[in-house]
Amino acid sequence: MHLIKFRRYKRVVTLFADVAIIFLSYILSMLLFYEFQIPEMMRDAFLLHISAIILIYIFTFYFFRLYGSLWTVAGYYDYINIVYANLAAGIILVFYDIFILREMLSFSIIIIAGGTVLLGTLGSRMFFRIYRRLLLERMSFGKSRKPGIKKVLIVGAGQAAALIIKEIRNHPELMMDIIGLVDDSDFKQHSRISGHKVLGRVCEIPEFVRDYEVDEILLAIPSASHEKRREILGIAKTTAARLKTLPGVYEMVEKGLNIQSIRDVEISDLLGRKEISLNNEKISEYIENKIVLVTGGGGSIGSELCRQIAKLKPKQLIILDIYENNAYAIENELKRNHPELNLLTLIASVRDRKKIDRVFNTYHPQTVFHAAAHKHVPLMETSPEEAIKNNVFGTLNVASSAKQFKTEKFILISTDKAVNPTNIMGASKRLCEMIVQTMDAHTDNTDYVAVRFGNVLGSNGSVIPLFKEQIKNGGPITLTHKDIVRYFMTIPEAVQLVLQAGSYAQGGEIFVLDMGDPVRIYDLAENLIRLSGFEPHKDIEIKITGLRPGEKLYEELLMAEEGLESTPNELIFVGRPNGFDKSSLKKTLEELEKDIHDERISCNELKEIMEKIVPTYIPDISKKEQVI
C-alpha cells in the first residue's frame, strides 16, 4: 500500500523536493559567500529573483525529462542525465546573471549553489531507490515467514549474478531467498555481491545444499563454455536441489536478461558440446535468393531446417509434407516470425512420383533438403515394406525429379543407423545413400550428398519425450539394455551442421557430423529423473526390458571402407563413396519395387532381399513369419 501511494504522488514529491533543494542551495551559497552576513540590498534582490532562478532550473529539468523517469529503478544513464540538466541550468543562469541581473550574483555563488543543487537532486533520486528497496525487502521479509519460500544458491559471482539478484529483489512474489553464491575465482572468495556472500567454490555445492537446505541451484555464468557448464551441472545434479540456469551469452545478447530468462536445466545442458562456428557466407551461397524445397518439412528435423533457412533470405521456401497438422503448424510459425518470407506449403507424399514431378516442374527448386522418412525402428521391423516404399522409393522419386529438372543441390538427411545396419530402417537409409551416390555419378547438373548423424534430442521418436512421459506418470522408465549407448545432438545444432555440410558439397560425399561422446542411456535416464525433482530407483524405477528387434547396443557413424577426411569445420567430416556396384542398382531397385508389392513375400523374406542389396545389413530375422 505504501509503495502504491508513493508511486501515485512521486512526480509532485520530486518537484517540491527540487524547489526546496534549489532555494536552500542558493541561501546556503550566499551565506557562505558573505560569511553569514548577507547585505540587506543583496538579500532583497535575491528574494526578488529566486522565483526566476527556480523556474530556470525546473524548466531545464523538465526539458531533460527528469520528471518522467522512473527513479525507483534508475540506472547509470538516468544519473548522467541529471548532471547534464544541472550543467545546462547553470549555464543559463550565468547568462541570466550577466544580461538580466547585471552580475548581481557572484560567479562563485552560482558555482557553489549549482554544485549543491546537483548533489541534492542526485541524492533525492537515490533516496527514491533506497526507499523502494526498503519497502520491497520489508514485504519480502513478511512473505519469507510464509510456507513456500525457496532457498536459492547462485553459481557464479559476476555481472549476471548481480543482475539476477536485483531481479529477484524486485519480484518478492517469487518467494526466493538467496542464501549465497559460489565461484571458483580466488579473488571473489568470501566477498559480497549485492549484499550476498560468496560462500566458497563450485566443488562445495553439495555441502552447501545440505547445510543450508537449498531448494534450487541457479547457474548464472552465461559466458561459461559448454564443457564448464556440464562440469558444474554434473556436480549440482548429485544434490536433491532443483537445477535452474540462465541462457547462453548469445541468447542473452539477443533477448536480454530478466527474471523470465531463468529456466529449468534441460538434459541437453548436461550433454554439453562445443559452440558451433558456422561460415554463414558459404551457406548463403546456396540458400540466399534460391528456391529451397524441404521434404518432410513438418517433422522435427524438417521444421528446424525451415526455421533456419527462413533466416537466410531464400527467394522462396517450399514446405512439402504428407502430414497436414505439422505442415500447418510450421507454416503459421514462419508466417508469424518472418512475414516477408515467400512461403509455400504443399501437402504431398514423396511416394507419388507424378506429384513430385509436378512440384519440380512448377517451382524448379534449386536446393532440396530431403528429410521425409519413416524413422521408428521397431515399427519398421514389423512393416519393412513401408520403410522401403517411403524411404527408398521416396528418395528415388525426389532425387530423380531433382536430376530431371536440374536442381543444383540435393541433400539427403541420413542416420548413423545406416552404418552396418541391424534393422530395416537403417538398411533402407543406407540404400537411400547408395541411390544418392549413384545419382551423383550419373549427372553433371546436381550435387547429390548425404549428411549422416545420430539421435537428436526432442525429435519425434526420441527417448527423451518418452522418458518424460513415463516420469510424469510416476514411472517406471523402461530401458532396453543397461549398457546401451547413443550419440546425441540437439535439433538446432544438427540442422546448423547440415546446412554447413551442404555448403561443402561437391557431389557424392557422405558427410558425417561429430556427435561428441556417446551417451549411456541408463545415465541419461537417471539424470532426467533428477532434473524432474525425483530420486532415481527411489521415487522412479528404471526397468530393463531387453533389446528390441533390430536394435544395437551402440551406433557407428562411418563404415570402415568409406575413409574419413576433414572439412573446414572441425565438427564435419566426409566419407568418400565406397565401392558398391552402381551400374546394377537401377535394375536392383526395379526388382525390389516388385517384391514389396508381392503379397506372397513375408517380412523375413523381404529383409533377406534387402540383405543382398545392402551387404553391410545384418537382419534380425523373427521366428514368427509375417506376410506383407
Side-chain angles (χ1 to χ4, degrees), residues 152-168 176 181 217-226 229 233 243-253 255-266 269 275:
V152 179
L153 176 67
I154 297 178
V155 182
Q159 188 174 8
L163 288 171
I164 282 298
I165 291 172
K166 176 184 173 183
E167 286 288 311
I168 290 173
M176 298 175 80
L181 304 91
I217 299 171
L218 172 57
L219 175 57
I221 315 177
S223 60
S225 67
H226 280 269
R229 288 169 68 87
L233 292 172
L243 306 187
K244 301 276 188 176
T245 185
L246 293 180
V249 66
Y250 296 114
E251 187 178 343
M252 277 183 57
V253 168
K255 299 181 180 178
L257 177 63
N258 52 47
I259 204 69
Q260 283 76 35
S261 303
I262 301 174
R263 62 170 176 81
D264 289 332
V265 170
E266 297 288 343
D269 295 305
E275 284 287 347

Side-chain angles (χ1 to χ4, degrees), residues 92-131:
I92 294 170
L93 277 171
V94 169
F95 285 104
Y96 180 77
D97 183 48
I98 294 171
F99 295 108
I100 305 297
L101 300 182
R102 303 297 179 183
E103 300 185 8
M104 182 197 77
L105 291 175
S106 165
F107 190 62
S108 298
I109 291 175
I110 294 175
I111 290 176
I112 294 170
T116 309
V117 172
L118 174 61
L119 292 174
T121 50
L122 281 170
S124 66
R125 269 71 176 177
M126 289 180 180
F127 167 78
F128 294 145
R129 288 202 61 172
I130 294 169
Y131 179 70

